[in-house]
Each structure stands twice: as C-alpha cells, then as structure tokens.
Amino acid sequence: GERRAFAALLVLSALLVLFSLHDIRLANEAYLKKDLQTQAELSQMTRILSDLEAREDYTMGETELVFVGAGPVGQNMAGFDDSRVLTGLYTTGMLPVDTPTWYYDAYDAYFRFILHYPVRTASPEARAAILEGLDLAAVPTFPQKGYIQNINGTLLVHLS
C-alpha cells in the first residue's frame, strides 16, 4: 500500500513537472512572438512616417490620412503556430487585425502614443467617401512605390 502510494505520488509529480515545463516553453514563445511583432510594427510605422514626411503634399498634423489594411504586420509569423493555436494570441501587436473596416482611430493613437507624432486621420464618413468607388486593387500596397495616394487632398495609405 505505502509503496503504491509513493509510486503514484512520484508519477503525478513527474507529470506536473512535465506540464509546467511545457507551459514555460509556450509562454516564452508567446512573449517572443509579441515582442517581435511589436518591433516589426514599430519599424513599419516608422517607415510610413518617413515616407509621409518626404511628400510635398503632406503637412504634419494638418493633412488628413486614411489607412487601409494591415500590411505584413499582424500576420502569424512562421514558427509560432503553437502559440497562436494553443493560447489564442491572434493579435499580439499594437494595431488591430482581422477586422474589415479597422478602427479608424487606431492609427491616430499609434502615431500619438507610440511614435509621439501628431497626425490627423479622416473621420469614418470621410474615409467611407474616399473608399467608395475606389479600385483599391489598382493602388499599390506597402512597401511598393505609390502606396500613398493623394485623393482630393487626403492621403490614402494602402497597407494591404
């Protein structure tokens, strides 16, 4: 009896250690993914800001901007499938993904709070008016040349 109880306790302890080690690996993987994607977002948004500032038709904090799509950021990175499936970490960066219209003020918040740069994003109504009838498939996407288009004084930034 006492030997069986000790053997059962030993097996249960070994299982507990194995589960704990797996969770530590998964948690480290999830945090690594989150950090890599946040850095990728920062890099992408810094490049976009640089491209905006290089334009003659852009004035900081005055020119209205419309952002469309997510670009390469927010996609599941190769090698991180376990953390996505097992933990549900589908959105690990700062910007929302997988929504058809996005949050029109998410980019404004990113520029203000992460990059500390004032931008003026178009209202949802102005955004809808610009996108209505526009053939987005004909507009290049980031990082291709021409991904920023001037449409009636508003700059469209086509990310994907």
Side-chain angles (χ1 to χ4, degrees), residues 26-98:
L26 194 60
N28 285 340
E29 184 178 297
Y31 284 115
L32 175 63
K33 177 184 179 186
K34 180 179 182 200
D35 186 53
L36 289 174
Q37 287 197 229
T38 300
Q39 291 301 318
E41 265 178 9
L42 179 61
S43 177
Q44 179 186 28
M45 297 306 282
T46 301
R47 287 178 63 192
I48 291 168
L49 178 58
S50 178
D51 289 346
L52 284 169
E53 288 180 325
R55 294 180 62 96
E56 298 272 332
D57 56 355
Y58 176 74
T59 304
M60 177 178 64
E62 293 179 18
T63 307
E64 282 194 338
L65 303 172
V66 170
F67 292 90
V68 178
V73 176
Q75 306 300 320
N76 194 39
M77 296 172 64
F80 291 94
D81 299 325
D82 286 346
S83 64
R84 181 178 179 137
V85 172
L86 297 176
T87 65
L89 289 176
Y90 289 95
T91 302
T92 59
M94 299 297 294
L95 296 176
V97 293
D98 297 334

Side-chain angles (χ1 to χ4, degrees), residues 94-116:
M94 299 297 294
L95 296 176
V97 293
D98 297 334
T99 57
T101 58
W102 283 68
Y103 301 103
Y104 72 92
D105 61 347
Y107 288 105
D108 180 62
Y110 192 92
F111 277 98
R112 281 190 354 210
F113 300 124
I114 305 299
L115 297 176
H116 302 285

